[in-house]
Amino acid sequence: MEFDPQTALPLGLLGLMVAFALGWLASRFDLKQWKREQQESPKAYYKGLNLLLSEQPDKAIDAFIEAVQQDPGTSELHFGLGNLFRRRGEYERAVRVHQHLLGRGDLSVTERDRAQHALAQDFLKAGLFDRAEAAFKALEGSAFGTDAKLELLTLYERTRDWPAAIEIARQLEAAGAGSFATRVAHYHCEIALEAETCRRAAEAEAALHEARTAAPQAARPRVLEGHRHVQAGRHREALAVWDDLLAVQPTTFPLIAGDYAASALACNDDAAASSRLKAVYERQPSLDLLTALLRLTPDAAERQSLLRAHLQAHPTLSAAVVLLKEQLARGESLSVADAEQLQLLAAAAAKPGQRYRCAACGFEAQHYFWQCPGCQTWDSYPPRRQEDQ
């Protein structure tokens, strides 16, 4: 068969037209499919968000998984899903989501650091402290560097790695993240306590010195130093340290008021100590200070006067118990005024137990309700008061 140019030309043109038509149809099909996917993905996302706001986390997770499957390239959906897993305690699934993100090659540096930070938080929440530490350290120099150091500080506190905590706190201070002096002082105090437990006196003393150097106004180093003197039988030295505490942090003094009185009695300095305690008590009355002051007051009538004055000004059950002990120790019966005061205290203390509590929402009321005023549930109040249950 001979070649006819006039016939070949229309056939070639027809082939080109067919190819163009097929390409156009394919592009239209792909475009429609892409539009449909783009429409379905936000729908699934908003569905998950709505379920989450409606406090239906299980269904919300299913919706987010569907959205991720429809649009696996969207990193925000992965972050949202991973955070949901972590909040629900499903740390292994959260780790898988964030590791998948880190394995993608199309993430920007910022998104990669964000995924690394999320993965480190997963490990921390799961209790995998070694892996969390390594993950946080990998963020050094990134936009999440300061946050990672703060998380590391928390991690070292939980694992009681005080030297590492001190180092991280110093780095944070150098980076301008604020002052960590008080926390560093606490870390040194913890080191001192551990050294004292292991009978390493020199190390404990050095740690307390570092604590006072880190935070000169901190109360805890002085409290511990005084206790060390007491354990060694150096009561005058303990009193001197705690006098310094009284001058620097007077609000903390009630914590060691009883020990202060005991040391004063041990070195026959009870008169001077009683005078100091009275001055402190007048400025900031507390039962701890009163109890210490009573130990230094030999006269029974004066002790009774101090107790009644405190109970009248500060009517608490704890103060009433101290008064009762004092009366029993003396073998005396309560006066009418004391009995009336104790009756008022007992009535006030009994009030919380006289309430009814809704079994559905916990709403408490003095009167019984057939329908809870809080959650509107019927028959949700047990017919017994709290103190009877």
Side-chain angles (χ1 to χ4, degrees):
M1 182 176 178
E2 295 182 359
F3 175 75
D4 187 355
Q6 293 180 349
T7 305
L9 183 59
L11 288 175
L13 184 60
L14 180 62
L16 288 173
M17 291 176 65
V18 170
F20 175 78
L22 290 174
W24 181 82
L25 288 173
S27 66
R28 292 294 296 174
F29 176 77
D30 289 340
L31 182 61
K32 288 180 179 180
Q33 182 178 4
W34 178 79
K35 286 182 177 179
R36 185 168 59 252
E37 289 177 351
Q38 291 299 314
Q39 290 173 352
E40 290 176 353
S41 179
K43 285 181 180 179
Y45 175 78
Y46 290 125
K47 177 183 176 183
L49 185 60
N50 183 53
L51 290 168
L52 187 61
L53 294 174
S54 302
E55 297 184 358
Q56 301 181 62
D58 294 328
K59 293 182 179 180
I61 284 177
D62 292 338
F64 281 128
I65 290 175
E66 178 186 350
V68 168
Q69 290 172 345
Q70 291 174 357
D71 191 6
T74 305
S75 60
E76 286 299 331
L77 293 179
H78 285 77
F79 282 119
L81 188 59
N83 291 337
L84 264 179
F85 284 142
R86 190 195 309 131
R87 288 179 59 185
R88 286 174 52 82
E90 299 181 49
Y91 304 122
E92 185 177 349
R93 299 179 75 181
V95 166
R96 287 206 303 269
V97 169
H98 293 131
Q99 284 180 332
H100 171 72
L101 272 174
L102 282 173
R104 285 172 46 179
D106 60 338
L107 281 185
S108 65
V109 175
T110 302
E111 292 292 279
R112 185 171 299 278
D113 291 339
R114 182 183 173 190
Q116 178 73 24
H117 185 247
L119 180 63
Q121 289 180 314
D122 297 338
F123 289 143
L124 182 62
K125 290 290 186 180
L128 303 173
F129 296 138
D130 291 342
R131 300 181 71 178
E133 180 182 11
F136 281 128
K137 285 184 175 179
L139 290 166
E140 179 73 28
S142 71
F144 293 88
T146 300
D147 291 337
K149 280 186 170 63
L150 289 170
E151 297 279 6
L152 275 173
L153 193 63
T154 301
L155 187 153
Y156 290 140
E157 288 182 357
R158 291 177 63 180
T159 56
R160 304 184 67 81
D161 188 348
W162 308 120
I166 292 171
E167 176 60 27
I168 288 293
R170 297 300 190 196
Q171 292 178 17
L172 285 166
E173 282 189 334
S179 174
F180 291 81
T182 302
R183 292 175 75 165
V184 169
H186 281 296
Y187 301 155
H188 284 297
C189 287
E190 292 291 340
I191 292 173
L193 287 174
E194 292 176 358
E196 197 70 43
T197 301
C198 298
R199 300 183 182 279
R200 299 194 298 267
E203 182 179 341
E205 185 175 354
L208 287 179
H209 176 74
E210 291 291 337
R212 294 187 66 167
T213 302
Q217 302 299 313
R220 192 183 182 190
R222 292 173 171 82
V223 171
L224 294 182
E225 187 178 350
H227 285 150
R228 291 190 72 245
H229 287 311
V230 169
Q231 290 171 3
R234 301 187 297 267
H235 293 284
R236 289 198 179 277
E237 287 84 345
L239 291 176
V241 171
W242 288 333
D243 283 337
D244 182 44
L245 173 66
L246 180 58
V248 175
Q249 292 286 354
T251 57
T252 315
F253 193 77
L255 295 175
I256 50 90
D259 298 320
Y260 188 86
S263 291
L265 289 171
C267 61
N268 297 318
D269 195 21
D270 46 313
S274 177
S275 177
R276 296 190 195 98
L277 283 174
K278 283 181 180 178
V280 180
Y281 177 79
E282 289 173 359
R283 293 196 301 269
Q284 49 179 46
S286 74
L287 188 60
D288 290 322
L289 288 170
L290 177 65
T291 304
L293 188 56
L294 293 176
R295 295 182 64 179
L296 300 175
T297 306
D299 184 68
E302 187 177 354
R303 288 201 302 271
Q304 288 282 348
S305 177
L306 287 171
L307 273 169
R308 288 194 178 96
H310 182 87
L311 193 58
Q312 186 174 6
H314 310 281
T316 63
L317 284 176
S318 298
V321 169
V322 175
L323 177 61
L324 286 173
K325 286 182 178 179
E326 184 71 20
Q327 295 281 17
L328 289 173
R330 297 181 59 187
E332 296 179 354
S333 60
L334 287 173
S335 65
V336 175
D338 290 340
E340 290 177 350
Q341 185 72 31
L342 292 178
Q343 182 183 3
L344 292 174
L345 286 171
K351 278 187 177 181
Q354 294 171 350
R355 298 173 181 169
Y356 296 97
R357 178 182 292 174
C358 174
C361 70
F363 187 89
E364 294 185 355
Q366 291 287 344
H367 304 285
Y368 185 83
F369 288 99
W370 296 103
Q371 183 187 27
C372 175
C375 63
Q376 310 301 315
T377 304
W378 291 98
D379 292 323
S380 59
Y381 276 88
R384 292 167 64 87
R385 298 182 187 272
Q386 287 294 300
E387 63 183 359
D388 296 329
Q389 295 182 18

